[in-house]
Amino acid sequence: RAPLRINELRLDEFWGPTDLLVSMAAEHYARCVQAQLQGLLGSVEVLGNPRQLFGHLAAGVQDAFYEPYEGLFTGPDKLVEGMAKGAVSLTRNVVTGVSTTAASLTGSLARGVAELSMDQRYIDRRSDVASQRGAARHAGDGIARGFKSAGDGIFRGVTGLVADP
């Protein structure tokens, strides 16, 4: 949750045209909202942890160049081995970084949509399920959980529309 806090605009004994008052108020509140949004955009959860993503990408790119470079000086067979190691590391780091970022981003969006529902029972139930479930053991487990969760959500949505339109 990221509450939006806006400071009051206090003017003592303002004697001026209404247009000036409206302009001052609009400028003040625009600055407050802008400052809040900058903090919100800097939140790692909202953006899917960009620092972690760039860390993975940098490690993968570094290995993609460093491993073959090291192998170049030890012999042709080590060059090929270094190229393979670098390619595997680059692939692994890109996949890990992108998938972790995507998971974090979609989780943030899901939490935001849940909050927009304003249904506290649903929010509490969702939180309870998430805390009981724990982390996926492998990619297949995560994909299966995602499809199960999506199917459950669609089923509950359709059931809700039919039972209580």
Side-chain angles (χ1 to χ4, degrees), residues 2-70:
L4 186 62
R5 290 189 172 88
I6 298 176
N7 296 330
E8 68 181 29
L9 173 64
R10 185 174 176 165
L11 300 172
D12 293 324
E13 299 183 34
F14 176 80
W15 297 94
T18 306
D19 293 348
L20 179 60
L21 177 62
V22 170
S23 172
M24 290 171 63
E27 184 179 325
H28 169 75
Y29 290 119
R31 273 196 315 266
C32 289
V33 169
Q34 182 182 21
Q36 294 287 312
L37 289 178
Q38 287 173 351
L40 181 65
L41 289 176
S43 169
V44 292
E45 184 179 349
V46 171
L47 296 176
N49 200 342
R51 194 172 90 182
Q52 185 180 37
L53 170 65
F54 291 126
H56 279 287
L57 295 179
V61 169
Q62 179 182 350
D63 288 348
F65 287 100
Y66 179 75
E67 294 293 339
Y69 177 77
E70 284 292 307

Side-chain angles (χ1 to χ4, degrees), residues 32-152:
C32 289
V33 169
Q34 182 182 21
Q36 294 287 312
L37 289 178
Q38 287 173 351
L40 181 65
L41 289 176
S43 169
V44 292
E45 184 179 349
V46 171
L47 296 176
N49 200 342
R51 194 172 90 182
Q52 185 180 37
L53 170 65
F54 291 126
H56 279 287
L57 295 179
V61 169
Q62 179 182 350
D63 288 348
F65 287 100
Y66 179 75
E67 294 293 339
Y69 177 77
E70 284 292 307
L72 180 65
F73 294 109
T74 56
D77 56 330
K78 294 294 182 183
L79 172 63
V80 173
E81 185 180 319
M83 289 173 69
K85 279 182 171 179
V88 167
S89 176
L90 176 63
T91 303
R92 181 180 57 240
N93 278 295
V94 167
V95 168
T96 300
V98 169
S99 61
T100 303
T101 299
S104 181
L105 184 62
T106 55
S108 294
L109 290 172
R111 281 188 296 280
V113 170
E115 290 290 330
L116 287 175
S117 74
M118 292 187 251
D119 181 355
Q120 194 59 45
R121 282 189 343 208
Y122 170 71
I123 294 168
D124 292 342
R125 185 178 64 234
R126 191 175 181 284
S127 178
D128 290 345
V129 167
S131 65
Q132 292 171 357
R133 182 175 33 200
R137 292 180 299 268
H138 50 77
D141 185 30
I143 292 170
R145 286 183 186 187
F147 278 117
K148 182 182 181 307
S149 179
D152 185 50

